Amino acid sequence: MKKKKSKKIQIKSIKKNQELGQTRNSAKLVLFLFGIGPIIGITIFLFSKGFFNSPNM
């Protein structure tokens, strides 16, 4: 009976670890999108307005 209990505990802990892994991966994805996304958007906007072009004299 002790072996069965420890097996159930191991199965539950494995499931929790998998859920945590999925949560961490989705958190990393969200942080990447909200961290890098605006930087890329601002850069594209500035390029379209000619911010990085050298001024002609």
Side-chain angles (χ1 to χ4, degrees):
M1 291 190 82
K2 288 184 180 180
K3 290 182 180 178
K4 287 184 180 180
K5 284 184 180 178
S6 64
K7 242 184 186 179
K8 286 182 181 178
I9 292 171
Q10 287 176 350
I11 291 170
K12 286 181 182 178
S13 66
I14 290 171
K15 286 182 181 178
K16 285 182 182 178
N17 286 340
Q18 288 174 347
E19 289 173 4
L20 280 176
Q22 289 174 354
T23 307
R24 286 180 182 170
N25 287 340
S26 60
K28 288 179 184 177
L29 180 66
V30 169
L31 286 174
F32 179 77
L33 289 177
F34 284 100
I36 303 298
I39 294 172
I40 294 171
I42 290 169
T43 306
I44 292 171
F45 174 77
L46 291 175
F47 264 114
S48 69
K49 297 295 180 184
F51 181 79
F52 296 107
N53 296 337
S54 60
N56 294 330
M57 289 194 162

